[in-house]
């Protein structure tokens, strides 16, 4: 069994201006431009709203999946409603339009992750999954509650349908509690501290609120990532995924394998060939 170490630590930068006026502040949790190190995670944004109202506008995606984790507040659009602790897992695939007439609450905070799709599934039909917090399986042990939104931790296996094998868990640790989630050694992984303080990895790397600890992929088999909460406990979001080891190009809301494929996405969108998320029925979870 491989005992993972934290290879590098990043910090979520101070919030800056977002795309939706003065009430919207944002920062990058995962920055694009270093995909060989973050594969299959392309980017992740931390979006914050200070005043309720409409948020953003309808826009397309293609060639990727977006994973929207609602940390605080609510967001509702034609695709459905997300409350605190809910996740929208949207596979854009060959193309989709979403965020139509979105309404958000004061104090809303969400993380939106972009996942690169496997090459052979990049243009799969789009689908939408709404993962409600109350319906997600929970792994419990002394001082530990780990809610699993994708993949498996212990006996808790999420019903989420994945194109890229991914583990996503919301882990809450009581003061001084330890947890060593098991992950495939071949996965890249990162842990984001939402509240409190913890140490992570075989070397006991200290992490506190808004810090991100990264642990890289290794050869085959299983691995564990040791987590230990500090004196006030900790809440940690754990993301782990199988690297795709492919070359991609990105422009705007699209990720493709070539410039020609990008041009095809833009042409399809301009000609109205992308379905709208509001017209799609969310995939039933088993």
């Amino acid at each position: 069994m491989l005992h993972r170490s934290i290879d590098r630590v990043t910090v979520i930068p101070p919030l800056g201006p977002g795309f939706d006026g003065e009430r919207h502040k944002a920062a990058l949790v995962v920055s694009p431009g270093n995909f060989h190190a973050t594969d299959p995670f392309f980017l992740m944004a931390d979006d914050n709203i200070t005043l309720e109202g409409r948020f953003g506008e309808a826009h397309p995606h293609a060639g990727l999946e977006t994973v929207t984790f609602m940390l605080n507040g609510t967001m509702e659009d034609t695709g459905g409603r997300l409350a605190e602790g809910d996740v929208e897992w949207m596979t854009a695939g060959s193309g989709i339009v979403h965020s139509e007439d979105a309404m958000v609450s004061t104090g809303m905070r969400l993380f939106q992750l972009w996942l690169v799709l496997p090459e052979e599934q990049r243009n799969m039909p789009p689908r939408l999954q709404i993962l409600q917090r109350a319906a997600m399986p929970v792994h419990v042990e002394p001082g530990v509650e780990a809610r699993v939104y994708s993949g498996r931790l212990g006996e808790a296996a999420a019903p989420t349908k994945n194109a890229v094998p991914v583990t996503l868990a919301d882990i809450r640790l009581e003061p001084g509690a330890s947890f060593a989630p098991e992950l495939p050694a071949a996965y890249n992984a990162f842990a984001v501290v939402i509240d409190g303080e913890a140490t992570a990895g075989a070397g006991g790397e200290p992490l506190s609120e808004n810090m991100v600890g990264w642990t890289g992929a290794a050869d085959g088999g299983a691995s564990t990532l040791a987590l230990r909460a500090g004196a006030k406990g900790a809440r940690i979001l754990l993301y782990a995924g199988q690297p795709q080891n492919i070359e991609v190009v990105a422009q705007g809301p699209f990720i493709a394998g070539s410039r020609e494929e990008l041009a095809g996405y833009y042409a399809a969108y301009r000609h109205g060939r992308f379905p709208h998320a509001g017209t799609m029925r969310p995939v039933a979870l088993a």
Side-chain angles (χ1 to χ4, degrees):
M1 179 78 70
L2 171 68
H3 300 289
R4 287 176 175 259
S5 296
I6 297 298
D7 303 322
R8 66 188 187 282
V9 175
T10 58
V11 178
I12 301 176
L15 296 173
F19 57 76
D20 198 24
E22 292 184 359
R23 70 194 182 110
H24 179 211
K25 305 297 182 183
L28 285 173
V29 183
V30 178
S31 298
N34 191 23
F35 183 59
H36 77 279
T38 63
D39 186 2
F41 310 112
F42 189 80
L43 66 79
M44 189 161 82
D46 181 355
D47 288 296
N48 295 255
I49 288 290
T50 58
L51 186 66
E52 68 180 1
R54 295 192 181 278
F55 179 55
E57 59 185 17
H59 62 276
H61 283 294
L64 68 148
E65 291 185 308
T66 63
V67 181
T68 303
F69 196 115
M70 188 63 62
L71 290 167
N72 298 108
T74 62
M75 179 171 66
E76 186 167 5
D77 63 15
T78 52
R81 184 177 189 273
L82 294 180
E84 184 173 329
D86 293 344
V87 171
E88 179 194 78
W89 202 294
M90 189 184 75
T91 305
S94 58
I96 194 170
V97 177
H98 78 142
S99 290
E100 302 154 288
D101 299 320
M103 296 292 294
V104 295
S105 64
T106 298
M108 185 211 76
R109 184 188 184 193
L110 62 80
F111 282 169
Q112 188 179 90
L113 172 71
W114 289 18
L115 268 172
V116 169
L117 285 167
E119 195 166 22
E120 65 276 10
Q121 293 173 278
R122 188 157 54 232
N123 292 306
M124 66 183 289
R127 69 184 176 200
L128 184 67
Q129 299 173 83
I130 303 298
L131 312 179
Q132 295 181 319
R133 179 182 184 276
M136 293 297 101
V138 181
H139 172 81
V140 177
E141 54 187 75
V144 177
E145 179 186 280
R147 192 172 302 271
V148 183
Y149 290 84
S150 179
R152 172 189 291 271
L153 291 182
E155 77 289 352
T160 310
K161 295 174 172 60
N162 297 117
V164 177
V166 168
T167 297
L168 170 55
D170 184 357
I171 301 169
R172 298 173 188 257
L173 302 175
E174 294 180 5
S178 296
F179 183 40
E182 186 172 318
L183 303 168
Y187 284 15
N188 277 326
F190 65 98
V192 187
V193 179
I194 305 300
D195 291 305
E197 296 180 343
T199 60
E205 183 73 34
L207 300 174
S208 57
E209 186 175 342
N210 288 335
M211 295 179 70
V212 184
W214 286 86
T215 174
D219 291 335
S223 70
T224 60
L225 176 64
L227 302 170
R228 180 183 292 274
K232 295 183 179 180
R235 181 186 179 192
I236 298 168
L237 292 189
L238 176 64
Y239 294 81
Q242 184 178 70
Q244 295 305 295
N245 299 312
I246 57 176
E247 295 295 325
V248 296
V249 292
Q251 184 173 328
F254 303 141
I255 294 178
S258 66
R259 291 290 172 187
E260 291 75 17
E261 191 172 37
L262 275 176
Y265 289 151
Y266 278 102
Y269 174 59
R270 285 195 302 270
H271 286 90
R273 297 178 189 147
F274 287 4
H276 287 240
T279 67
M280 298 178 62
R281 178 171 297 183
V283 173
L285 301 179

